[in-house]
Amino acid sequence: MLTGPFLWGHSHGAIVARRGARASTPRKVWLVAPEESLRRDGPPTGRWRDPALAALAGLLVFVAFPPFDFGPLSFLALVPLVHVWRSAPPRRAAWLGFVAGVAAFGPLVWWTSFFGILAWAALVIALAGTWAVAGFLVAGVRSRGVRSPWVIPAVWSLVELGRQRWPLGGNTWGEIGYSLHSVSAARSFAAFAGTTGVGFVIVSVNAWLPEAWVRRAEADIRSGGWGRDATRWIVVGAVVVPFIALGSAHLFRPSFAKTGELEVVMLQGNDLERDESPEELEERRLLYGHLDLAARIRGPVDLVVFPESSVDKDPRRDDELRGTFASLARRLQASLVVNVDHAEVPGREDDDVGYNTNFLFDSEGKLSSKRYAKVKPVPFGEYVPWGSVLRPLIPALDQIPIDLLRGPGRVQFEVSGHSVGTFICFEVGFATIARNYTREGAEVLLVTTNNSSFRRSANTRQQLAMAQMRSAESGRYLLQSGISGITAVIDERGRVLQRTELFERSATRATVPTLEGRTPYVLLGDWLPLGAGVILLAALAWRSRTTSRD
């Protein structure tokens, strides 16, 4: 009976007896078969065993993320999935990848269910589909004769790069590299190769561990012992080298020049673990709660941050509100970053579209012409794709009353002579935004966010993990200002220096160094997965050429 890489056989013909036993004695043994035999001769594995192992892999990946946050578990979590992929044809590998993805993303993004089971199911299917694509491609490459374990991390990281961009602008939630946000060596490696590069390292270990087991058993049969087989050193090296890479990155992490400091206060004014009542909306409770916190600030201050959704009207259209912020800025002699999550779109008079916008008031109280509109609004969260078709069919989409449009591009704010790159909420999951800000001269990164809809779920902690990796990749302090938490100060190495708890009113004050200099990742981007992809294509071309010659 075939079970994964093992073949259950008898002592006739294809039988290999254990050492020391008589060759003529019929007995059952475990025999490691070459992959060609596994694929060609073996009967199908158990109906439920392979999906169960795939699901186990997905659950282990989930445990590596918040709320459990056992990050180093990710070095082993995918081993069951890699094992069942070894002999699976492309379609079955895709199915097993999908099963593993559902087991991982189902609980990981359960907080999406606050908007309905349909929203949760759609997101899980979309994310699990990327693991299905990875499985299909891995099996397809192996079927063409390129069977190195390096195929798996190469394909996996390329698929993750793809899902950062497509479909509908991409989604980076649950990328495997984020699981090591609390490991300093991994964050240091992100400064060289990005979070996707960290994921490449994680998956390479997962890919080589089953290979080590198989080759060890093969060596036992061929030469009478693992220690006598030269492949031992190849396999051991392939498993150990990734850890050496992480350690080396930590020892040689880049340093940055300090250009000054900013005194920053981030306001967190939502202590409600529920939606606002109509009366509270009428009273503008959130706005005045944040203004009350701001009134207690004493100078000197360079920057005060009102987080996402803390201001309910466009200050360009509300003279009283604009005057209130101008007076506050002049009193503190500080710049203000103020978020309105449905600001008007210039040239559009209809109320069913808007921009999620960070505005800037300078220290003299003037509303700057510079403003940042979110460039990656969340599909089915902040706008409805193909709304004219889907809205009549799905009444639940009425929960999204307006469609937020994609902003025109990145905008840096000048605060006390220093450049601040700002983005909004889930955009912290996109490395290209922070990387480009840093390349363009940003000395500090600022994220305004509102995760109050997800209550006390793991959503906010998962987003904070992303913010840690962004700061490590870019070599900049990153300030996360949350309307209900978590508000955090993260240094250029990805360490969380200050943080609040969820749903507590607070004003987080910090002296933040401004920095210049570029990490290798800022300079080179995703060179590791892209380089691996080029090598993989070259290997496929070479294999195809040699096969055609034969």
Side-chain angles (χ1 to χ4, degrees), residues 313-316 336-340 343-344 357-361 367-368 370-372 413:
K313 292 185 178 181
D314 190 326
R316 296 170 298 179
L336 311 179
V337 170
V338 174
N339 178 272
V340 180
E344 293 184 8
T357 305
N358 285 342
F359 291 93
L360 176 69
F361 286 83
L367 179 59
S368 173
K370 285 189 173 183
R371 51 189 174 269
Y372 172 72
F413 294 157

Side-chain angles (χ1 to χ4, degrees), residues 27 32 42 48 97 102 126-127 135 218 225 258 262 290 355 359 393 398 409 413 419 434 458 495 516 527 539 549:
R27 61 188 308 167
V32 176
W48 300 110
V102 169
L127 293 175
E218 288 176 340
K258 182 178 177 181
L262 291 176
H290 285 86
Y355 281 145
F359 291 93
L393 298 176
D398 292 340
F413 294 157
S419 185
R495 298 175 297 190
E516 66 177 5
W527 60 269
R549 284 180 178 179

